[in-house]
Amino acid sequence: MALGLQKAGIDGNAVIMTRNPWELLFYMPGTIRGVGLPYATPEVIFAVAKYYGVTHFINDCRRPGLDTFLKKGHPGLSRISVEGPFPVYKFDAASFKDGELADLDSTPPAE
């Protein structure tokens, strides 16, 4: 997966959201950063992604409603061609309109 991301031109300033960022980052250049994929709805997942400045999202695990959200498509998520077992998306937080993402200050903790 790491080699596929590098071949796809993921640059040194990328912040990648994935289920296990430590596994991916072990094989990536030291300038790439990672954020763990929370067990949450898409509205919370992408609010967290926006907060941490995520540039790329790897859909490598099941989350409530995530597959349906990705199948519908969103201008803030564009699938990129990467060799590997999981779909990779370029994430553009500015393309999400007000109200589309969860307010993280009022989101209750997961139970």
Side-chain angles (χ1 to χ4, degrees), residues 48-71:
V48 170
K50 180 178 181 178
Y51 180 84
Y52 285 106
V54 166
T55 59
H56 294 82
F57 168 74
I58 300 175
N59 186 22
D60 58 351
C61 60
R62 295 269 194 213
R63 295 294 185 252
L66 184 57
D67 287 338
T68 303
F69 182 88
L70 293 172
K71 283 179 187 172

Side-chain angles (χ1 to χ4, degrees), residues 90-102:
K90 180 131 178 78
F91 177 73
D92 178 18
S95 295
F96 284 83
K97 297 177 184 154
D98 287 342
E100 283 189 296
L101 299 177

